[in-house]
Amino acid sequence: SQQGEEDPQALSIQEGENATMNCSYKTSINNLQWYRQNSGRGLVHLILIRSNEREKHSGRLRVTLDTSKKSSSLLITASRAADTASYFCATVDTNAGKSTFGDGTTLTVKP
Amino acid sequence: GAVVSQHPSRVICKSGTSVKIECRSLDFQATTMFWYRQFPKKSLMLMATSNEGSKATYEQGVEKDKFLINHASLTLSTLTVTSAHPEDSSFYICSAREPRGVSNQPQHFGDGTRLSIL
């Protein structure tokens, strides 16, 4: 299985609800990043959490990182229809400096 | 914020044609750019890392003669799909990272190029 696996693969919620997505990885990392991709577009960086950080907030986003479990979660609170997109986690390998992306979670927020 | 511009956004052409895709960092210098390929409902697959002034580093399984990368300046990298065939049809995305504290910088992505080979 690959580095940076997200679950669930797809998530459908009602507007106003919270959405939680999880990411697991395998190697040592410098940091972990979350990105958003609207259909047919490039990725937009949301938040970066360093390996020595446990939690980070940005607006309605909350990211946690557990390096002992090699996992991270992205929480979007009070979701909006405009949050509908695919969300990817990416890890930066300490040795290679390359980013590896998971398969993503497709979030649908119904108005 | 840092902006990466990718052109064209969509290409439709006949089999056998070579197609060039440009990736520009508009407000920062990018010594390294990345080229990805993305299949429908799938993740990004790193094809190659483009280094300014030197040869690109290709990932395993990616044909360097098929996907030519040139990174001639600090703000421009190009990917040329040579003699494209229908199986090369895909969504190609470039990204660049600001050089400060490289590995702790996020990547900035272009909007992608939808390549369709008939």
Side-chain angles (χ1 to χ4, degrees), chain A residues 30-31 35 37 41-43 45 97-99 102-103, chain B residues 36 38 43 59 91 97 103-107 109-111:
Chain A
N30 280 330
N31 62 68
Y35 291 82
Q37 183 182 33
R41 303 294 297 274
L43 277 69
H45 178 255
K98 298 187 296 188
S99 294
D103 277 344
Chain B
Y36 295 87
Q38 186 178 32
S43 185
E59 294 300 302
F91 192 56
R97 185 187 280 150
S103 63
N104 279 325
Q105 292 291 328
Q107 292 185 54
F109 285 83
D111 268 345

mmCIF file with all atom_site columns, all heavy atoms in Angstrom, chain A residues 30-31 35 37 41-43 45 97-99 102-103, chain B residues 36 38 43 59 91 97 103-107 109-111:
data_model
loop_
_atom_site.group_PDB
_atom_site.id
_atom_site.type_symbol
_atom_site.label_atom_id
_atom_site.label_alt_id
_atom_site.label_comp_id
_atom_site.label_asym_id
_atom_site.label_entity_id
_atom_site.label_seq_id
_atom_site.pdbx_PDB_ins_code
_atom_site.Cartn_x
_atom_site.Cartn_y
_atom_site.Cartn_z
_atom_site.occupancy
_atom_site.B_iso_or_equiv
_atom_site.pdbx_formal_charge
_atom_site.auth_seq_id
_atom_site.auth_comp_id
_atom_site.auth_asym_id
_atom_site.auth_atom_id
_atom_site.pdbx_PDB_model_num
ATOM 1   N N   . ASN A 1 30  ? 9.249   15.091 7.417   1.00 0.00 ? 30  ASN A N   1
ATOM 2   C CA  . ASN A 1 30  ? 9.552   16.430 7.920   1.00 0.00 ? 30  ASN A CA  1
ATOM 3   C C   . ASN A 1 30  ? 8.267   17.134 8.312   1.00 0.00 ? 30  ASN A C   1
ATOM 4   O O   . ASN A 1 30  ? 8.214   17.853 9.305   1.00 0.00 ? 30  ASN A O   1
ATOM 5   C CB  . ASN A 1 30  ? 10.242  17.269 6.836   1.00 0.00 ? 30  ASN A CB  1
ATOM 6   C CG  . ASN A 1 30  ? 11.700  16.951 6.715   1.00 0.00 ? 30  ASN A CG  1
ATOM 7   O OD1 . ASN A 1 30  ? 12.350  16.578 7.681   1.00 0.00 ? 30  ASN A OD1 1
ATOM 8   N ND2 . ASN A 1 30  ? 12.233  17.093 5.514   1.00 0.00 ? 30  ASN A ND2 1
ATOM 9   N N   . ASN A 1 31  ? 7.276   16.961 7.469   1.00 0.00 ? 31  ASN A N   1
ATOM 10  C CA  . ASN A 1 31  ? 5.991   17.595 7.726   1.00 0.00 ? 31  ASN A CA  1
ATOM 11  C C   . ASN A 1 31  ? 4.918   16.879 6.945   1.00 0.00 ? 31  ASN A C   1
ATOM 12  O O   . ASN A 1 31  ? 5.207   16.013 6.111   1.00 0.00 ? 31  ASN A O   1
ATOM 13  C CB  . ASN A 1 31  ? 6.042   19.082 7.343   1.00 0.00 ? 31  ASN A CB  1
ATOM 14  C CG  . ASN A 1 31  ? 6.324   19.293 5.864   1.00 0.00 ? 31  ASN A CG  1
ATOM 15  O OD1 . ASN A 1 31  ? 5.500   18.976 5.014   1.00 0.00 ? 31  ASN A OD1 1
ATOM 16  N ND2 . ASN A 1 31  ? 7.491   19.824 5.551   1.00 0.00 ? 31  ASN A ND2 1
ATOM 17  N N   . TYR A 1 35  ? -4.076  19.307 1.195   1.00 0.00 ? 35  TYR A N   1
ATOM 18  C CA  . TYR A 1 35  ? -4.418  20.077 0.024   1.00 0.00 ? 35  TYR A CA  1
ATOM 19  C C   . TYR A 1 35  ? -5.870  19.816 -0.349  1.00 0.00 ? 35  TYR A C   1
ATOM 20  O O   . TYR A 1 35  ? -6.439  18.765 -0.033  1.00 0.00 ? 35  TYR A O   1
ATOM 21  C CB  . TYR A 1 35  ? -3.538  19.684 -1.176  1.00 0.00 ? 35  TYR A CB  1
ATOM 22  C CG  . TYR A 1 35  ? -2.100  20.071 -1.065  1.00 0.00 ? 35  TYR A CG  1
ATOM 23  C CD1 . TYR A 1 35  ? -1.200  19.279 -0.353  1.00 0.00 ? 35  TYR A CD1 1
ATOM 24  C CD2 . TYR A 1 35  ? -1.612  21.220 -1.680  1.00 0.00 ? 35  TYR A CD2 1
ATOM 25  C CE1 . TYR A 1 35  ? 0.141   19.635 -0.251  1.00 0.00 ? 35  TYR A CE1 1
ATOM 26  C CE2 . TYR A 1 35  ? -0.275  21.576 -1.588  1.00 0.00 ? 35  TYR A CE2 1
ATOM 27  C CZ  . TYR A 1 35  ? 0.583   20.771 -0.876  1.00 0.00 ? 35  TYR A CZ  1
ATOM 28  O OH  . TYR A 1 35  ? 1.911   21.131 -0.784  1.00 0.00 ? 35  TYR A OH  1
ATOM 29  N N   . GLN A 1 37  ? -8.568  19.954 -3.773  1.00 0.00 ? 37  GLN A N   1
ATOM 30  C CA  . GLN A 1 37  ? -8.638  20.018 -5.225  1.00 0.00 ? 37  GLN A CA  1
ATOM 31  C C   . GLN A 1 37  ? -10.101 20.056 -5.658  1.00 0.00 ? 37  GLN A C   1
ATOM 32  O O   . GLN A 1 37  ? -10.849 19.121 -5.398  1.00 0.00 ? 37  GLN A O   1
ATOM 33  C CB  . GLN A 1 37  ? -7.945  18.813 -5.882  1.00 0.00 ? 37  GLN A CB  1
ATOM 34  C CG  . GLN A 1 37  ? -7.941  18.885 -7.402  1.00 0.00 ? 37  GLN A CG  1
ATOM 35  C CD  . GLN A 1 37  ? -7.294  17.679 -8.061  1.00 0.00 ? 37  GLN A CD  1
ATOM 36  O OE1 . GLN A 1 37  ? -7.372  16.571 -7.551  1.00 0.00 ? 37  GLN A OE1 1
ATOM 37  N NE2 . GLN A 1 37  ? -6.620  17.897 -9.182  1.00 0.00 ? 37  GLN A NE2 1
ATOM 38  N N   . ARG A 1 41  ? -9.226  20.970 -11.441 1.00 0.00 ? 41  ARG A N   1
ATOM 39  C CA  . ARG A 1 41  ? -8.310  22.075 -11.134 1.00 0.00 ? 41  ARG A CA  1
ATOM 40  C C   . ARG A 1 41  ? -7.053  21.558 -10.455 1.00 0.00 ? 41  ARG A C   1
ATOM 41  O O   . ARG A 1 41  ? -6.922  20.378 -10.144 1.00 0.00 ? 41  ARG A O   1
ATOM 42  C CB  . ARG A 1 41  ? -9.014  23.091 -10.210 1.00 0.00 ? 41  ARG A CB  1
ATOM 43  C CG  . ARG A 1 41  ? -10.303 23.657 -10.757 1.00 0.00 ? 41  ARG A CG  1
ATOM 44  C CD  . ARG A 1 41  ? -10.061 24.508 -11.996 1.00 0.00 ? 41  ARG A CD  1
ATOM 45  N NE  . ARG A 1 41  ? -9.259  25.680 -11.740 1.00 0.00 ? 41  ARG A NE  1
ATOM 46  C CZ  . ARG A 1 41  ? -9.749  26.841 -11.314 1.00 0.00 ? 41  ARG A CZ  1
ATOM 47  N NH1 . ARG A 1 41  ? -11.028 26.980 -11.090 1.00 0.00 ? 41  ARG A NH1 1
ATOM 48  N NH2 . ARG A 1 41  ? -8.944  27.877 -11.124 1.00 0.00 ? 41  ARG A NH2 1
ATOM 49  N N   . GLY A 1 42  ? -6.129  22.472 -10.217 1.00 0.00 ? 42  GLY A N   1
ATOM 50  C CA  . GLY A 1 42  ? -4.928  22.111 -9.484  1.00 0.00 ? 42  GLY A CA  1
ATOM 51  C C   . GLY A 1 42  ? -5.212  22.034 -7.997  1.00 0.00 ? 42  GLY A C   1
ATOM 52  O O   . GLY A 1 42  ? -6.340  22.237 -7.549  1.00 0.00 ? 42  GLY A O   1
ATOM 53  N N   . LEU A 1 43  ? -4.193  21.717 -7.229  1.00 0.00 ? 43  LEU A N   1
ATOM 54  C CA  . LEU A 1 43  ? -4.357  21.587 -5.785  1.00 0.00 ? 43  LEU A CA  1
ATOM 55  C C   . LEU A 1 43  ? -4.061  22.909 -5.094  1.00 0.00 ? 43  LEU A C   1
ATOM 56  O O   . LEU A 1 43  ? -3.192  23.667 -5.525  1.00 0.00 ? 43  LEU A O   1
ATOM 57  C CB  . LEU A 1 43  ? -3.413  20.513 -5.229  1.00 0.00 ? 43  LEU A CB  1
ATOM 58  C CG  . LEU A 1 43  ? -3.900  19.075 -5.329  1.00 0.00 ? 43  LEU A CG  1
ATOM 59  C CD1 . LEU A 1 43  ? -3.933  18.601 -6.762  1.00 0.00 ? 43  LEU A CD1 1
ATOM 60  C CD2 . LEU A 1 43  ? -3.023  18.170 -4.483  1.00 0.00 ? 43  LEU A CD2 1
ATOM 61  N N   . HIS A 1 45  ? -3.014  24.518 -1.420  1.00 0.00 ? 45  HIS A N   1
ATOM 62  C CA  . HIS A 1 45  ? -2.482  24.173 -0.105  1.00 0.00 ? 45  HIS A CA  1
ATOM 63  C C   . HIS A 1 45  ? -3.391  24.714 0.993   1.00 0.00 ? 45  HIS A C   1
ATOM 64  O O   . HIS A 1 45  ? -3.801  25.877 0.966   1.00 0.00 ? 45  HIS A O   1
ATOM 65  C CB  . HIS A 1 45  ? -1.075  24.763 0.040   1.00 0.00 ? 45  HIS A CB  1
ATOM 66  C CG  . HIS A 1 45  ? -0.465  24.507 1.371   1.00 0.00 ? 45  HIS A CG  1
ATOM 67  N ND1 . HIS A 1 45  ? -0.348  25.484 2.348   1.00 0.00 ? 45  HIS A ND1 1
ATOM 68  C CD2 . HIS A 1 45  ? 0.046   23.381 1.910   1.00 0.00 ? 45  HIS A CD2 1
ATOM 69  C CE1 . HIS A 1 45  ? 0.216   24.960 3.404   1.00 0.00 ? 45  HIS A CE1 1
ATOM 70  N NE2 . HIS A 1 45  ? 0.474   23.691 3.169   1.00 0.00 ? 45  HIS A NE2 1
ATOM 71  N N   . GLY A 1 97  ? 13.094  14.462 0.099   1.00 0.00 ? 97  GLY A N   1
ATOM 72  C CA  . GLY A 1 97  ? 12.542  15.798 -0.067  1.00 0.00 ? 97  GLY A CA  1
ATOM 73  C C   . GLY A 1 97  ? 11.362  15.853 -1.007  1.00 0.00 ? 97  GLY A C   1
ATOM 74  O O   . GLY A 1 97  ? 10.849  16.925 -1.305  1.00 0.00 ? 97  GLY A O   1
ATOM 75  N N   . LYS A 1 98  ? 10.900  14.705 -1.468  1.00 0.00 ? 98  LYS A N   1
ATOM 76  C CA  . LYS A 1 98  ? 9.759   14.674 -2.392  1.00 0.00 ? 98  LYS A CA  1
ATOM 77  C C   . LYS A 1 98  ? 8.473   14.524 -1.605  1.00 0.00 ? 98  LYS A C   1
ATOM 78  O O   . LYS A 1 98  ? 8.442   13.969 -0.517  1.00 0.00 ? 98  LYS A O   1
ATOM 79  C CB  . LYS A 1 98  ? 9.887   13.478 -3.345  1.00 0.00 ? 98  LYS A CB  1
ATOM 80  C CG  . LYS A 1 98  ? 11.102  13.522 -4.234  1.00 0.00 ? 98  LYS A CG  1
ATOM 81  C CD  . LYS A 1 98  ? 11.071  12.400 -5.250  1.00 0.00 ? 98  LYS A CD  1
ATOM 82  C CE  . LYS A 1 98  ? 11.128  11.036 -4.591  1.00 0.00 ? 98  LYS A CE  1
ATOM 83  N NZ  . LYS A 1 98  ? 11.284  9.962  -5.594  1.00 0.00 ? 98  LYS A NZ  1
ATOM 84  N N   . SER A 1 99  ? 7.401   15.022 -2.208  1.00 0.00 ? 99  SER A N   1
ATOM 85  C CA  . SER A 1 99  ? 6.083   14.861 -1.607  1.00 0.00 ? 99  SER A CA  1
ATOM 86  C C   . SER A 1 99  ? 5.398   13.655 -2.211  1.00 0.00 ? 99  SER A C   1
ATOM 87  O O   . SER A 1 99  ? 5.487   13.420 -3.410  1.00 0.00 ? 99  SER A O   1
ATOM 88  C CB  . SER A 1 99  ? 5.231   16.099 -1.864  1.00 0.00 ? 99  SER A CB  1
ATOM 89  O OG  . SER A 1 99  ? 5.747   17.222 -1.194  1.00 0.00 ? 99  SER A OG  1
ATOM 90  N N   . GLY A 1 102 ? -1.616  10.930 -1.068  1.00 0.00 ? 102 GLY A N   1
ATOM 91  C CA  . GLY A 1 102 ? -2.535  9.811  -0.953  1.00 0.00 ? 102 GLY A CA  1
ATOM 92  C C   . GLY A 1 102 ? -3.585  9.881  -2.041  1.00 0.00 ? 102 GLY A C   1
ATOM 93  O O   . GLY A 1 102 ? -3.574  10.777 -2.891  1.00 0.00 ? 102 GLY A O   1
ATOM 94  N N   . ASP A 1 103 ? -4.518  8.931  -2.018  1.00 0.00 ? 103 ASP A N   1
ATOM 95  C CA  . ASP A 1 103 ? -5.564  8.868  -3.033  1.00 0.00 ? 103 ASP A CA  1
ATOM 96  C C   . ASP A 1 103 ? -6.691  9.866  -2.803  1.00 0.00 ? 103 ASP A C   1
ATOM 97  O O   . ASP A 1 103 ? -7.550  10.051 -3.654  1.00 0.00 ? 103 ASP A O   1
ATOM 98  C CB  . ASP A 1 103 ? -6.157  7.461  -3.112  1.00 0.00 ? 103 ASP A CB  1
ATOM 99  C CG  . ASP A 1 103 ? -5.303  6.544  -3.972  1.00 0.00 ? 103 ASP A CG  1
ATOM 100 O OD1 . ASP A 1 103 ? -4.449  7.066  -4.730  1.00 0.00 ? 103 ASP A OD1 1
ATOM 101 O OD2 . ASP A 1 103 ? -5.466  5.317  -3.889  1.00 0.00 ? 103 ASP A OD2 1
ATOM 102 N N   . TYR B 2 36  ? 3.331   16.157 -12.313 1.00 0.00 ? 36  TYR B N   1
ATOM 103 C CA  . TYR B 2 36  ? 2.492   15.048 -11.879 1.00 0.00 ? 36  TYR B CA  1
ATOM 104 C C   . TYR B 2 36  ? 1.516   14.671 -12.985 1.00 0.00 ? 36  TYR B C   1
ATOM 105 O O   . TYR B 2 36  ? 1.149   15.484 -13.832 1.00 0.00 ? 36  TYR B O   1
ATOM 106 C CB  . TYR B 2 36  ? 1.667   15.436 -10.646 1.00 0.00 ? 36  TYR B CB  1
ATOM 107 C CG  . TYR B 2 36  ? 2.453   15.722 -9.395  1.00 0.00 ? 36  TYR B CG  1
ATOM 108 C CD1 . TYR B 2 36  ? 2.947   16.993 -9.135  1.00 0.00 ? 36  TYR B CD1 1
ATOM 109 C CD2 . TYR B 2 36  ? 2.679   14.716 -8.452  1.00 0.00 ? 36  TYR B CD2 1
ATOM 110 C CE1 . TYR B 2 36  ? 3.657   17.259 -7.974  1.00 0.00 ? 36  TYR B CE1 1
ATOM 111 C CE2 . TYR B 2 36  ? 3.381   14.972 -7.285  1.00 0.00 ? 36  TYR B CE2 1
ATOM 112 C CZ  . TYR B 2 36  ? 3.862   16.243 -7.051  1.00 0.00 ? 36  TYR B CZ  1
ATOM 113 O OH  . TYR B 2 36  ? 4.562   16.504 -5.902  1.00 0.00 ? 36  TYR B OH  1
ATOM 114 N N   . GLN B 2 38  ? -2.330  12.764 -13.207 1.00 0.00 ? 38  GLN B N   1
ATOM 115 C CA  . GLN B 2 38  ? -3.439  12.346 -12.362 1.00 0.00 ? 38  GLN B CA  1
ATOM 116 C C   . GLN B 2 38  ? -4.509  11.662 -13.206 1.00 0.00 ? 38  GLN B C   1
ATOM 117 O O   . GLN B 2 38  ? -4.997  12.216 -14.189 1.00 0.00 ? 38  GLN B O   1
ATOM 118 C CB  . GLN B 2 38  ? -4.054  13.546 -11.632 1.00 0.00 ? 38  GLN B CB  1
ATOM 119 C CG  . GLN B 2 38  ? -5.130  13.163 -10.628 1.00 0.00 ? 38  GLN B CG  1
ATOM 120 C CD  . GLN B 2 38  ? -5.693  14.349 -9.882  1.00 0.00 ? 38  GLN B CD  1
ATOM 121 O OE1 . GLN B 2 38  ? -5.768  15.445 -10.427 1.00 0.00 ? 38  GLN B OE1 1
ATOM 122 N NE2 . GLN B 2 38  ? -6.093  14.157 -8.641  1.00 0.00 ? 38  GLN B NE2 1
ATOM 123 N N   . SER B 2 43  ? -5.041  9.730  -7.193  1.00 0.00 ? 43  SER B N   1
ATOM 124 C CA  . SER B 2 43  ? -4.099  10.687 -6.634  1.00 0.00 ? 43  SER B CA  1
ATOM 125 C C   . SER B 2 43  ? -3.122  11.182 -7.692  1.00 0.00 ? 43  SER B C   1
ATOM 126 O O   . SER B 2 43  ? -3.164  10.765 -8.847  1.00 0.00 ? 43  SER B O   1
ATOM 127 C CB  . SER B 2 43  ? -3.326  10.029 -5.494  1.00 0.00 ? 43  SER B CB  1
ATOM 128 O OG  . SER B 2 43  ? -2.499  10.975 -4.876  1.00 0.00 ? 43  SER B OG  1
ATOM 129 N N   . GLU B 2 59  ? 10.908  9.618  -12.167 1.00 0.00 ? 59  GLU B N   1
ATOM 130 C CA  . GLU B 2 59  ? 10.514  8.520  -11.294 1.00 0.00 ? 59  GLU B CA  1
ATOM 131 C C   . GLU B 2 59  ? 10.577  7.208  -12.077 1.00 0.00 ? 59  GLU B C   1
ATOM 132 O O   . GLU B 2 59  ? 10.535  7.187  -13.316 1.00 0.00 ? 59  GLU B O   1
ATOM 133 C CB  . GLU B 2 59  ? 9.101   8.747  -10.770 1.00 0.00 ? 59  GLU B CB  1
ATOM 134 C CG  . GLU B 2 59  ? 8.994   9.952  -9.853  1.00 0.00 ? 59  GLU B CG  1
ATOM 135 C CD  . GLU B 2 59  ? 9.878   9.848  -8.634  1.00 0.00 ? 59  GLU B CD  1
ATOM 136 O OE1 . GLU B 2 59  ? 9.725   8.867  -7.870  1.00 0.00 ? 59  GLU B OE1 1
ATOM 137 O OE2 . GLU B 2 59  ? 10.731  10.739 -8.427  1.00 0.00 ? 59  GLU B OE2 1
ATOM 138 N N   . PHE B 2 91  ? -4.571  14.080 -17.025 1.00 0.00 ? 91  PHE B N   1
ATOM 139 C CA  . PHE B 2 91  ? -4.501  15.416 -16.439 1.00 0.00 ? 91  PHE B CA  1
ATOM 140 C C   . PHE B 2 91  ? -3.090  15.587 -15.897 1.00 0.00 ? 91  PHE B C   1
ATOM 141 O O   . PHE B 2 91  ? -2.640  14.815 -15.045 1.00 0.00 ? 91  PHE B O   1
ATOM 142 C CB  . PHE B 2 91  ? -5.549  15.527 -15.326 1.00 0.00 ? 91  PHE B CB  1
ATOM 143 C CG  . PHE B 2 91  ? -5.792  16.912 -14.815 1.00 0.00 ? 91  PHE B CG  1
ATOM 144 C CD1 . PHE B 2 91  ? -6.167  17.935 -15.678 1.00 0.00 ? 91  PHE B CD1 1
ATOM 145 C CD2 . PHE B 2 91  ? -5.666  17.199 -13.464 1.00 0.00 ? 91  PHE B CD2 1
ATOM 146 C CE1 . PHE B 2 91  ? -6.406  19.217 -15.203 1.00 0.00 ? 91  PHE B CE1 1
ATOM 147 C CE2 . PHE B 2 91  ? -5.909  18.482 -12.983 1.00 0.00 ? 91  PHE B CE2 1
ATOM 148 C CZ  . PHE B 2 91  ? -6.279  19.490 -13.843 1.00 0.00 ? 91  PHE B CZ  1
ATOM 149 N N   . ARG B 2 97  ? 7.929   24.838 -5.529  1.00 0.00 ? 97  ARG B N   1
ATOM 150 C CA  . ARG B 2 97  ? 8.087   25.094 -4.100  1.00 0.00 ? 97  ARG B CA  1
ATOM 151 C C   . ARG B 2 97  ? 9.046   26.257 -3.929  1.00 0.00 ? 97  ARG B C   1
ATOM 152 O O   . ARG B 2 97  ? 10.076  26.316 -4.589  1.00 0.00 ? 97  ARG B O   1
ATOM 153 C CB  . ARG B 2 97  ? 8.608   23.833 -3.423  1.00 0.00 ? 97  ARG B CB  1
ATOM 154 C CG  . ARG B 2 97  ? 8.711   23.906 -1.922  1.00 0.00 ? 97  ARG B CG  1
ATOM 155 C CD  . ARG B 2 97  ? 9.394   22.653 -1.400  1.00 0.00 ? 97  ARG B CD  1
ATOM 156 N NE  . ARG B 2 97  ? 8.487   21.521 -1.313  1.00 0.00 ? 97  ARG B NE  1
ATOM 157 C CZ  . ARG B 2 97  ? 8.872   20.254 -1.455  1.00 0.00 ? 97  ARG B CZ  1
ATOM 158 N NH1 . ARG B 2 97  ? 10.117  19.969 -1.744  1.00 0.00 ? 97  ARG B NH1 1
ATOM 159 N NH2 . ARG B 2 97  ? 8.004   19.269 -1.336  1.00 0.00 ? 97  ARG B NH2 1
ATOM 160 N N   . SER B 2 103 ? 12.114  21.973 2.377   1.00 0.00 ? 103 SER B N   1
ATOM 161 C CA  . SER B 2 103 ? 11.200  20.869 2.667   1.00 0.00 ? 103 SER B CA  1
ATOM 162 C C   . SER B 2 103 ? 10.050  21.291 3.563   1.00 0.00 ? 103 SER B C   1
ATOM 163 O O   . SER B 2 103 ? 9.077   20.566 3.705   1.00 0.00 ? 103 SER B O   1
ATOM 164 C CB  . SER B 2 103 ? 11.965  19.709 3.304   1.00 0.00 ? 103 SER B CB  1
ATOM 165 O OG  . SER B 2 103 ? 12.519  20.113 4.533   1.00 0.00 ? 103 SER B OG  1
ATOM 166 N N   . ASN B 2 104 ? 10.119  22.464 4.186   1.00 0.00 ? 104 ASN B N   1
ATOM 167 C CA  . ASN B 2 104 ? 9.008   22.928 5.018   1.00 0.00 ? 104 ASN B CA  1
ATOM 168 C C   . ASN B 2 104 ? 8.140   23.933 4.306   1.00 0.00 ? 104 ASN B C   1
ATOM 169 O O   . ASN B 2 104 ? 7.340   24.614 4.931   1.00 0.00 ? 104 ASN B O   1
ATOM 170 C CB  . ASN B 2 104 ? 9.544   23.516 6.331   1.00 0.00 ? 104 ASN B CB  1
ATOM 171 C CG  . ASN B 2 104 ? 9.878   22.429 7.337   1.00 0.00 ? 104 ASN B CG  1
ATOM 172 O OD1 . ASN B 2 104 ? 9.202   21.412 7.385   1.00 0.00 ? 104 ASN B OD1 1
ATOM 173 N ND2 . ASN B 2 104 ? 10.926  22.626 8.093   1.00 0.00 ? 104 ASN B ND2 1
ATOM 174 N N   . GLN B 2 105 ? 8.306   24.054 3.024   1.00 0.00 ? 105 GLN B N   1
ATOM 175 C CA  . GLN B 2 105 ? 7.447   24.926 2.246   1.00 0.00 ? 105 GLN B CA  1
ATOM 176 C C   . GLN B 2 105 ? 6.389   24.104 1.531   1.00 0.00 ? 105 GLN B C   1
ATOM 177 O O   . GLN B 2 105 ? 6.649   23.009 1.060   1.00 0.00 ? 105 GLN B O   1
ATOM 178 C CB  . GLN B 2 105 ? 8.276   25.684 1.198   1.00 0.00 ? 105 GLN B CB  1
ATOM 179 C CG  . GLN B 2 105 ? 9.239   26.696 1.774   1.00 0.00 ? 105 GLN B CG  1
ATOM 180 C CD  . GLN B 2 105 ? 8.532   27.865 2.392   1.00 0.00 ? 105 GLN B CD  1
ATOM 181 O OE1 . GLN B 2 105 ? 7.463   28.259 1.955   1.00 0.00 ? 105 GLN B OE1 1
ATOM 182 N NE2 . GLN B 2 105 ? 9.121   28.420 3.454   1.00 0.00 ? 105 GLN B NE2 1
ATOM 183 N N   . PRO B 2 106 ? 5.163   24.638 1.443   1.00 0.00 ? 106 PRO B N   1
ATOM 184 C CA  . PRO B 2 106 ? 4.140   23.919 0.678   1.00 0.00 ? 106 PRO B CA  1
ATOM 185 C C   . PRO B 2 106 ? 4.433   24.017 -0.814  1.00 0.00 ? 106 PRO B C   1
ATOM 186 O O   . PRO B 2 106 ? 5.200   24.864 -1.244  1.00 0.00 ? 106 PRO B O   1
ATOM 187 C CB  . PRO B 2 106 ? 2.862   24.679 1.023   1.00 0.00 ? 106 PRO B CB  1
ATOM 188 C CG  . PRO B 2 106 ? 3.325   26.064 1.330   1.00 0.00 ? 106 PRO B CG  1
ATOM 189 C CD  . PRO B 2 106 ? 4.665   25.896 1.995   1.00 0.00 ? 106 PRO B CD  1
ATOM 190 N N   . GLN B 2 107 ? 3.819   23.144 -1.568  1.00 0.00 ? 107 GLN B N   1
ATOM 191 C CA  . GLN B 2 107 ? 3.913   23.234 -3.020  1.00 0.00 ? 107 GLN B CA  1
ATOM 192 C C   . GLN B 2 107 ? 2.784   24.120 -3.525  1.00 0.00 ? 107 GLN B C   1
ATOM 193 O O   . GLN B 2 107 ? 1.669   24.093 -3.010  1.00 0.00 ? 107 GLN B O   1
ATOM 194 C CB  . GLN B 2 107 ? 3.809   21.850 -3.649  1.00 0.00 ? 107 GLN B CB  1
ATOM 195 C CG  . GLN B 2 107 ? 5.001   20.962 -3.347  1.00 0.00 ? 107 GLN B CG  1
ATOM 196 C CD  . GLN B 2 107 ? 4.926   19.653 -4.090  1.00 0.00 ? 107 GLN B CD  1
ATOM 197 O OE1 . GLN B 2 107 ? 4.786   19.613 -5.305  1.00 0.00 ? 107 GLN B OE1 1
ATOM 198 N NE2 . GLN B 2 107 ? 5.015   18.559 -3.349  1.00 0.00 ? 107 GLN B NE2 1
ATOM 199 N N   . PHE B 2 109 ? 0.556   24.838 -6.857  1.00 0.00 ? 109 PHE B N   1
ATOM 200 C CA  . PHE B 2 109 ? 0.195   24.090 -8.047  1.00 0.00 ? 109 PHE B CA  1
ATOM 201 C C   . PHE B 2 109 ? -0.375  24.968 -9.147  1.00 0.00 ? 109 PHE B C   1
ATOM 202 O O   . PHE B 2 109 ? -1.081  25.954 -8.883  1.00 0.00 ? 109 PHE B O   1
ATOM 203 C CB  . PHE B 2 109 ? -0.848  23.019 -7.702  1.00 0.00 ? 109 PHE B CB  1
ATOM 204 C CG  . PHE B 2 109 ? -0.274  21.842 -6.974  1.00 0.00 ? 109 PHE B CG  1
ATOM 205 C CD1 . PHE B 2 109 ? -0.075  21.887 -5.604  1.00 0.00 ? 109 PHE B CD1 1
ATOM 206 C CD2 . PHE B 2 109 ? 0.078   20.692 -7.662  1.00 0.00 ? 109 PHE B CD2 1
ATOM 207 C CE1 . PHE B 2 109 ? 0.464   20.806 -4.923  1.00 0.00 ? 109 PHE B CE1 1
ATOM 208 C CE2 . PHE B 2 109 ? 0.621   19.609 -6.989  1.00 0.00 ? 109 PHE B CE2 1
ATOM 209 C CZ  . PHE B 2 109 ? 0.811   19.667 -5.625  1.00 0.00 ? 109 PHE B CZ  1
ATOM 210 N N   . GLY B 2 110 ? -0.075  24.563 -10.381 1.00 0.00 ? 110 GLY B N   1
ATOM 211 C CA  . GLY B 2 110 ? -0.780  25.128 -11.517 1.00 0.00 ? 110 GLY B CA  1
ATOM 212 C C   . GLY B 2 110 ? -2.177  24.530 -11.573 1.00 0.00 ? 110 GLY B C   1
ATOM 213 O O   . GLY B 2 110 ? -2.507  23.613 -10.812 1.00 0.00 ? 110 GLY B O   1
ATOM 214 N N   . ASP B 2 111 ? -2.989  25.025 -12.489 1.00 0.00 ? 111 ASP B N   1
ATOM 215 C CA  . ASP B 2 111 ? -4.361  24.548 -12.606 1.00 0.00 ? 111 ASP B CA  1
ATOM 216 C C   . ASP B 2 111 ? -4.499  23.290 -13.442 1.00 0.00 ? 111 ASP B C   1
ATOM 217 O O   . ASP B 2 111 ? -5.605  22.804 -13.644 1.00 0.00 ? 111 ASP B O   1
ATOM 218 C CB  . ASP B 2 111 ? -5.265  25.643 -13.179 1.00 0.00 ? 111 ASP B CB  1
ATOM 219 C CG  . ASP B 2 111 ? -5.904  26.476 -12.086 1.00 0.00 ? 111 ASP B CG  1
ATOM 220 O OD1 . ASP B 2 111 ? -5.883  26.030 -10.922 1.00 0.00 ? 111 ASP B OD1 1
ATOM 221 O OD2 . ASP B 2 111 ? -6.423  27.558 -12.388 1.00 0.00 ? 111 ASP B OD2 1
#
